[in-house]
């Protein structure tokens, strides 16, 4: 008996349907609070140095071009506002008491660092392909290899601004990508998967909902229909990869490198390239490139997982749900609680499973013979 990634909350006998709603409320409160702190953290220094006009200009830029890579200040606010979701979702899951610690990371209840290192291989392959496709037509061999300024124009930012942007992107984007993955492919899929008792139905609905929500929330970024299809295709295949690998490692790397590549290429702000154009916000060609590279990445990860004999599922069982009518002498609702008669065979937490397995009656993946050495 084993448990797939999207049903991991059900290995804990203390799981209840309302716990994800508590986590969602905590995350919502955390997000509102951090957004207020972030905005004031930027506005106060700007107001002191530039006055009211500088503050109004800053707010206008946030509304019009939140992810403009040619403006490090505005871009950093947008990235940080997403980065805070990562500690927020981890804190929310902990407060709501959803499963063992680090349940969102993988079926091992931790980040599988060796597997992460192996996933760098397909990630770098896709990064090279993405760079070549995104910079197609931007280079020339006339007079030596270099930028084709006749086609793309000149950079519109200073060297200091360019370096600052690249540093911010490299530092912040991995956490921004991880935050989105943990919220959409982690928390959302596990919530839906644990709510629906029929596994195949829960799997399909979890993937579909996480993909649609992920795509729709990108509409405010100015994407057109092709842009939304682009984001949706990326999210769909990422959700499948999470289920197939039993963890977030591969998709976090894919998401981070994909965004880093996009921002770095756009950072110089080439004068002949309009980032607000219709094609820049989505095109059939861009969608096909995203779909093709995502499928290729999934295929390489799948081959790598088979070769490394990756543990994709939790090597335990779900906590049984009580069936039957509680007798009067059972103490009412106490019958249903973990530790009650109806839950006698279900350990309350993973640490109790570990204690049982050490005693020879079963336990966590880490102590299972033949599994501990795998990534």
């Amino acid at each position: 008996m084993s448990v797939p990634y999207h049903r991991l909350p059900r290995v804990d006998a203390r799981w209840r349907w309302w716990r994800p709603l508590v986590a969602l409320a905590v995350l919502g409160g955390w997000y509102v609070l951090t957004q207020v702190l972030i905005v004031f953290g930027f506005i106060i220094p700007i107001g002191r140095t530039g006055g009211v006009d500088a503050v109004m200009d800053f707010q206008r830029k946030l509304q019009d071009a939140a992810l403009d890579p040619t403006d490090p200040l505005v871009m950093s606010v947008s990235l940080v506002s997403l980065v805070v979701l990562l500690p927020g979702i981890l804190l929310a899951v902990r407060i709501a008491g959803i499963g063992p610690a680090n349940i969102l990371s993988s079926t091992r209840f931790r980040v599988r660092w060796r597997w992460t290192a192996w996933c760098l291989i397909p990630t770098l392959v896709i990064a090279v392909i993405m760079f070549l496709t995104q910079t197609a037509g931007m280079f020339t061999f006339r007079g030596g290899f270099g930028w084709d300024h006749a086609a793309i124009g000149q950079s519109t930012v200073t060297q200091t601004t360019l370096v600052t942007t690249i540093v911010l992107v490299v530092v912040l984007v991995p956490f921004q990508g991880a935050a989105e993955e943990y919220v959409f492919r982690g928390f959302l899929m596990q919530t839906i998967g644990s709510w629906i008792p029929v596994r195949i139905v829960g799997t399909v609905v979890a993937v579909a909902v996480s993909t649609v929500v992920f795509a729709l929330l990108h509409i405010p970024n100015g994407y057109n229909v092709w842009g939304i299809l682009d984001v949706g295709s990326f999210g769909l295949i990422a959700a499948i990869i999470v289920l197939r690998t039993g963890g977030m490692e591969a998709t976090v790397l894919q998401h981070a490198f994909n965004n880093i590549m996009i921002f770095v290429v756009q950072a110089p702000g080439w004068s002949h390239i309009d980032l607000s154009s219709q094609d820049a916000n989505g095109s059939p060609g861009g969608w096909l490139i995203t779909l093709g590279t995502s499928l290729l990445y999934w295929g390489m990860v799948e081959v790598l997982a088979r070769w490394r004999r990756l543990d994709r599922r939790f090597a335990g069982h779900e906590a049984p749900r009580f069936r039957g009518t509680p007798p009067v002498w059972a103490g009412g609702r106490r019958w249903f609680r973990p530790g009650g008669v109806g839950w006698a065979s279900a350990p309350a937490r993973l640490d109790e499973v570990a204690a049982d397995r050490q005693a020879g009656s079963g336990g966590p993946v880490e102590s299972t013979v033949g599994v501990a050495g795998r990534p």
Side-chain angles (χ1 to χ4, degrees), residues 5-353:
Y5 175 84
H6 62 296
R7 289 187 63 83
L8 284 181
R10 298 307 295 264
V11 305
D12 189 344
R14 295 197 297 181
W15 180 89
R16 296 293 185 275
W17 66 267
W18 48 264
R19 291 189 185 275
L21 300 182
V22 173
L24 190 61
V26 172
L27 179 62
W30 168 272
Y31 184 74
V32 172
L33 175 61
T34 53
Q35 298 314 296
V36 172
L37 294 176
I38 290 170
V39 170
F40 277 100
F42 280 86
I43 285 180
I44 292 176
I46 292 174
R48 286 181 176 178
T49 58
V52 177
D53 291 339
V55 172
M56 297 298 293
D57 183 60
F58 175 68
Q59 291 179 330
R60 179 185 58 79
K61 288 180 178 179
L62 278 179
Q63 294 175 352
D64 296 341
L67 291 175
D68 183 1
T70 63
D71 191 328
L73 182 61
V74 174
M75 189 187 68
S76 63
V77 176
S78 301
L79 289 177
V80 171
S81 67
L82 294 173
V83 168
V84 296
L85 287 173
L86 183 57
I89 191 61
L90 297 177
L91 179 65
V93 168
R94 182 67 178 270
I95 291 176
I98 300 177
N102 216 3
I103 190 174
L104 299 180
S105 293
S106 74
T107 53
R108 288 285 195 90
F109 305 105
R110 63 174 176 81
V111 177
R112 299 167 295 185
W113 291 110
R114 282 197 297 169
W115 169 240
T116 303
W118 280 106
C119 287
L120 281 172
I121 298 174
T123 300
L124 293 175
V125 171
I126 296 300
V128 171
I129 295 175
M130 289 294 293
F131 178 79
L132 294 176
T133 55
Q134 290 178 20
T135 59
M138 298 177 66
F139 293 102
T140 179
F141 293 92
R142 295 189 298 270
F145 179 76
W147 295 109
D148 187 356
H149 294 293
I152 63 177
Q154 300 292 328
S155 174
T156 58
V157 302
T158 64
Q159 185 174 1
T160 301
T161 299
L162 179 59
V163 172
T164 302
T165 298
I166 293 176
V167 170
L168 288 173
V169 166
V170 172
V171 172
L172 295 178
V173 167
F175 296 100
Q176 171 255 327
E180 293 187 19
E181 291 301 314
Y182 270 70
V183 170
F184 294 103
R185 259 68 72 180
F187 173 74
L188 188 54
M189 286 212 304
Q190 285 192 352
T191 295
I192 296 173
S194 61
W195 274 345
I196 301 177
V198 182
R199 285 196 178 189
I200 184 63
V201 176
T203 301
V204 173
V205 174
V207 171
V209 171
S210 66
T211 300
V212 171
V213 173
F214 178 69
L216 293 180
L217 288 180
H218 280 75
I219 291 179
N221 291 341
Y223 291 115
N224 56 27
V225 174
W226 292 109
I228 296 302
L229 283 175
D230 188 310
V231 174
S233 299
F234 180 91
L236 172 63
I237 297 174
I240 296 174
I241 291 174
V242 168
L243 296 183
R244 291 294 300 162
T245 61
M248 308 297 300
E249 299 90 351
T251 57
V252 168
L253 283 176
Q254 179 192 23
H255 201 147
F257 273 79
N258 178 76
N259 288 5
I260 287 174
M261 199 64 56
I262 293 174
F263 286 135
V264 168
V265 171
Q266 296 176 350
W270 305 109
S271 58
H272 290 178
I273 298 178
D274 184 7
L275 296 180
S276 62
S277 67
Q278 192 72 3
D279 286 343
N281 292 323
S283 65
W287 168 61
L288 290 175
I289 290 174
T290 297
L291 180 62
T293 53
S294 296
L295 289 172
L296 178 60
Y297 183 74
W298 174 21
M300 289 189 291
V301 169
E302 189 73 42
V303 171
L304 194 59
R306 289 177 179 273
W307 176 53
R308 296 299 303 166
R309 298 172 60 210
L310 181 69
D311 293 306
R312 308 168 191 238
R313 301 162 71 94
F314 172 66
H317 57 79
E318 295 181 18
R321 281 179 283 174
F322 173 75
R323 289 179 172 82
T325 303
V328 177
W329 53 263
R333 287 179 296 177
R334 285 183 296 174
W335 179 278
F336 296 101
R337 295 175 181 171
V341 177
W343 296 86
S345 62
R349 301 293 289 183
L350 189 63
D351 50 4
E352 294 187 23
V353 181

